[in-house]
Amino acid sequence: MSSSLSLLSRELLVTLALGQVLSLLICGIGLTSKYLADDYHANTPVFQSFLNYILLFLVYTTTLAVRQGEENLLAILKRRWWKYMILGLIDIEANYLVIKAYQYTTLTSVQLLDCFTIPVVLLLSWFFLLVRYKAVHFVGVGVCLLGIGLMVGTDVLVGRQQGLGDHKLLGDLLVLGGATLYGISNVCEEFIVKNLSRVEFLGMMGLFGSFFSGIQLAIMEHKELLRVPWDWQIGLLYIGFSACMFGLYSFMPVVIKRSSAASVNLSLLTADLYSLFCGLLLFQYKFSGLYLLSFVIIVLGLVLYTSSSTYVAQDPRIYKQFRNAGHPITDTPTLGPLEPSVTYTSLRQEIEEEPRIRVA
């Protein structure tokens, strides 16, 4: 029993640590973007995303191109090209809408409304991935949101710069739209990396992301790109941004496969706090002990959420239909009606044997 508890504790700590690595990468993305926008007036969100998609293309799409058989790039495109095209567009516009929102609304609104991704992921996971949650999961989500609310409230109390907030309604709608698209993208990513392949997901994102973001860049940002005062410092900032973004995209499927899209999005709530702690040193932000309290509350919520398993009522036909999108489905004869199976997915295995659950 003691060895089992030790193993579970180690698994929990490893998963929490992996989530915080993702938060640190997002912190790096935010810091480099802030330097580019504030110090060098380089407002190029589409170009920055384009660089990331090009890196994904060079690494993962080319890997698919040299594979043989069913995992080859052409074979995947033949079966599922239109699904990945839609997913690529969703991913591009999610990034664009949230970054664009900073021009219209306040930092407080972005921080609060961006959390809308979490209920979107929970709902989509429930209806499409057939994930079933326990009471402790909802409590964990509530505690995490309480922590982010405390952080935003502390921002207001210490008078941290909140932004101009011009056309606030438009900015808030952009954040909600971006958060919704993020949720859709994350749930699709979870399904693909758990049932198909991490390399397939990233390769398709590199292919369609670079194509469509390149078109968007040529239409919307080519003039802004020409106005950038290029020098070695700006070059380093773009390289740093691209490295953090590429690391985030490459590493996130690993963490999602180990846990879930919902767990990862809860972990990312600490990214704003890491950015704040860096801002204390780099931008002379005011410090308050409430920031540390909010960090502790968010981590507590993460521990609550990841301490218990979710179960998935998984109908095997869902996987079969996605896998064979380009071919007719031939059903094998069965003795009775096809019933969904029930599997457990979590960061740990339950210590006590749980009764089998039949999902109609």
Side-chain angles (χ1 to χ4, degrees):
M1 180 65 70
S2 60
S3 60
S4 299
L5 290 175
S6 176
L7 178 61
L8 295 178
S9 299
R10 184 166 63 250
E11 286 291 312
L12 178 60
L13 291 175
V14 169
T15 304
L16 290 175
L18 292 176
Q20 297 317 295
V21 171
L22 296 178
S23 284
L24 289 172
L25 288 171
I26 290 182
C27 175
I29 291 169
L31 288 176
T32 51
S33 296
K34 180 175 178 60
Y35 273 117
L36 284 169
D38 293 354
D39 293 2
Y40 298 98
H41 306 288
N43 297 304
T44 56
V46 179
F47 176 65
Q48 291 166 231
S49 296
F50 176 71
L51 293 176
N52 171 56
Y53 290 122
I54 287 295
L55 289 175
L56 293 176
F57 178 88
L58 293 175
V59 175
Y60 296 105
T61 309
T62 54
T63 299
L64 292 177
V66 299
R67 284 183 171 180
Q68 303 295 323
E70 291 295 308
E71 295 185 347
N72 177 264
L73 176 63
L74 294 179
I76 294 172
L77 287 174
K78 184 178 180 180
R79 296 193 304 272
R80 298 187 281 272
W81 68 271
W82 65 271
K83 297 181 180 181
Y84 283 118
M85 182 184 70
I86 295 173
L87 185 55
L89 286 171
I90 289 173
D91 193 70
I92 292 169
E93 298 312 317
N95 290 324
Y96 178 77
L97 289 178
V98 173
I99 295 175
K100 193 71 175 177
Y102 282 97
Q103 300 179 18
Y104 300 105
T105 190
T106 62
L107 176 63
T108 300
S109 293
V110 173
Q111 290 172 328
L112 281 175
L113 296 177
D114 195 39
C115 297
F116 187 66
T117 300
I118 294 172
V120 171
V121 167
L122 293 176
L123 286 174
L124 292 179
S125 296
W126 179 282
F127 287 108
F128 294 101
L129 300 185
L130 306 181
V131 177
R132 297 297 179 258
Y133 303 99
K134 302 174 184 176
V136 68
H137 297 118
F138 295 108
V139 173
V141 170
V143 172
C144 285
L145 295 179
L146 176 63
I148 202 71
L150 177 60
M151 184 198 72
V152 172
T154 306
D155 282 344
V156 176
L157 291 176
V158 301
R160 183 180 168 194
Q161 177 63 38
Q162 300 295 308
L164 297 177
D166 298 330
H167 304 93
K168 190 174 184 300
L169 177 60
L170 174 60
D172 291 348
L173 292 175
L174 289 176
V175 179
L176 289 174
T180 302
L181 294 180
Y182 272 135
I184 297 172
S185 177
N186 288 165
V187 172
C188 292
E189 181 178 357
E190 178 178 352
F191 178 84
I192 294 169
V193 299
K194 287 186 176 181
N195 294 284
L196 297 173
S197 164
R198 164 181 171 268
V199 175
E200 177 176 327
F201 171 77
L202 294 174
M204 292 297 101
M205 288 300 98
L207 177 63
F208 290 106
S210 57
F211 178 75
F212 288 113
S213 63
I215 294 175
Q216 191 170 354
L217 172 64
I219 296 173
M220 303 178 63
E221 263 187 18
H222 64 281
K223 293 182 180 179
E224 185 67 35
L225 201 58
L226 294 174
R227 288 195 290 266
V228 175
W230 292 99
D231 59 23
W232 67 270
Q233 292 175 315
I234 290 182
L236 284 179
L237 287 173
Y238 275 114
I239 291 173
F241 175 90
S242 301
C244 290
M245 184 70 89
F246 178 76
L248 178 67
Y249 269 69
S250 298
F251 193 47
M252 183 177 283
V254 177
V255 185
I256 285 180
K257 187 171 184 177
R258 187 184 180 93
S259 54
S260 67
S263 177
V264 167
N265 278 279
L266 290 173
S267 297
L268 297 183
L269 293 178
T270 58
D272 288 329
L273 285 164
Y274 291 136
S275 298
L276 170 69
F277 296 147
C278 291
L280 295 173
L281 301 175
L282 300 175
F283 308 119
Q284 288 74 52
Y285 289 165
K286 294 181 180 179
F287 177 76
S288 171
L290 292 176
Y291 286 125
L292 292 177
L293 178 59
S294 63
F295 180 82
V296 171
I297 291 176
I298 292 174
V299 172
L300 176 61
L302 283 172
V303 171
L304 286 173
Y305 185 91
T306 57
S307 64
S308 183
S309 64
T310 59
Y311 69 93
V312 180
Q314 186 174 1
D315 187 336
R317 288 173 295 188
I318 296 175
Y319 172 76
K320 188 175 181 181
Q321 289 169 357
F322 189 92
R323 187 81 177 183
N324 301 283
H327 305 284
I329 299 175
T330 57
D331 291 326
T332 57
T334 57
L335 298 177
L338 179 62
E339 296 184 359
S341 61
V342 175
T343 59
Y344 284 86
T345 174
S346 68
L347 310 178
R348 68 183 194 90
Q349 298 177 348
E350 297 289 355
I351 298 175
E352 298 180 357
E353 185 70 22
E354 294 199 6
R356 294 286 296 175
I357 301 176
R358 180 176 295 274
V359 179

